[in-house]
């Protein structure tokens, strides 16, 4: 991770990084406010569906076949822990459309999201204001991933 850099002079894009992405590997990071981090079996369901935008709607393809592996949990500061899973597939997660739907169940939470390939994580805030994505905590998550995979 020490060799990875990001070119801030260009528009925000996944190809602004100095290293290429592995298109068949996805890292899932779940933050939890507690001294007790999530465990491997707390992620009970994961589904990744490539999608296409059509006028006025988004159309999802069939879910990819995936393997999920728990990496571990780290102290993320601000009273939070970051639990990290690696998801792999024989097919690329993203293609030129750069659009996909992810569904996952973590403990009692059912989450649906439209992820991107950016190495960013939402910023922790105490109020209900919008959260701005930041690269620094995401790089720390990746560093933990590479050290423990």
């Amino acid at each position: 991770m020490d060799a990875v850099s990001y070119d801030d002079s260009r528009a925000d894009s996944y190809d602004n990084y100095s290293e290429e992405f592995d298109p068949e590997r996805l890292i899932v990071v779940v933050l939890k406010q507690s001294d007790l981090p999530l465990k491997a079996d707390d992620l009970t369901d994961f589904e990744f569906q490539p999608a296409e935008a059509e006028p006025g709607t988004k159309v999802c393809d069939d879910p990819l076949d995936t393997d999920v592996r728990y990496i571990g949990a780290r102290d993320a500061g601000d009273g939070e822990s970051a639990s990290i899973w690696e998801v792999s597939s024989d097919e690329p997660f993203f293609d030129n459309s750069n659009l996909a739907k992810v569904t996952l169940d973590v403990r009692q939470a059912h989450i649906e999201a439209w992820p991107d390939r950016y190495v960013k994580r939402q910023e922790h805030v105490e109020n209900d204001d919008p959260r701005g994505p930041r690269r620094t905590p995401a790089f720390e998550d990746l560093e933990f991933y590479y050290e423990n995979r």
Side-chain angles (χ1 to χ4, degrees), residues 34-93:
S34 171
D35 294 334
L36 299 172
L38 296 169
K39 300 182 299 285
D41 57 359
D42 286 333
L43 177 62
T44 57
D45 187 38
F46 180 88
E47 191 172 273
F48 188 97
Q49 294 176 271
E52 295 178 16
E54 294 184 358
T57 188
K58 295 175 184 171
V59 178
C60 294
D61 295 336
D62 291 334
L64 297 181
D65 289 331
T66 58
D67 292 314
V68 178
R69 183 170 65 102
Y70 181 68
I71 301 300
R74 70 175 195 85
D75 181 357
D78 294 328
E80 293 183 325
S81 63
S83 297
I84 301 171
W85 287 265
E86 173 192 79
V87 183
S88 57
S89 176
D90 291 336
E91 299 177 57
F93 285 103

Side-chain angles (χ1 to χ4, degrees), residues 9-147:
S9 66
R10 301 181 341 162
D12 210 6
S13 174
Y14 71 91
D15 59 358
N16 288 6
Y17 294 92
S18 62
E19 303 294 323
E20 289 189 28
F21 281 72
D22 181 347
E24 296 176 356
R25 194 173 318 267
L26 186 71
I27 308 301
V28 175
V29 179
V30 179
L31 295 178
K32 181 174 180 285
Q33 284 188 309
S34 171
D35 294 334
L36 299 172
L38 296 169
K39 300 182 299 285
D41 57 359
D42 286 333
L43 177 62
T44 57
D45 187 38
F46 180 88
E47 191 172 273
F48 188 97
Q49 294 176 271
E52 295 178 16
E54 294 184 358
T57 188
K58 295 175 184 171
V59 178
C60 294
D61 295 336
D62 291 334
L64 297 181
D65 289 331
T66 58
D67 292 314
V68 178
R69 183 170 65 102
Y70 181 68
I71 301 300
R74 70 175 195 85
D75 181 357
D78 294 328
E80 293 183 325
S81 63
S83 297
I84 301 171
W85 287 265
E86 173 192 79
V87 183
S88 57
S89 176
D90 291 336
E91 299 177 57
F93 285 103
F94 288 100
D95 60 15
N96 293 335
S97 70
N98 198 28
L99 184 63
K101 179 182 174 187
V102 169
T103 306
L104 57 124
D105 293 327
V106 180
R107 288 196 179 163
Q108 294 86 14
H110 178 77
I111 303 163
E112 291 186 8
W114 298 90
D116 58 33
R117 323 185 216 195
Y118 304 122
V119 179
K120 295 188 284 191
R121 181 170 8 118
Q122 297 299 101
E123 182 175 10
H124 174 76
V125 292
E126 294 298 327
N127 54 29
D128 291 333
D129 291 339
R131 297 173 182 221
R134 299 182 306 160
R135 280 182 290 280
T136 301
F139 269 60
E140 292 168 358
D141 295 335
L142 280 175
E143 208 165 42
F144 179 87
Y145 164 75
Y146 284 117
E147 290 171 358

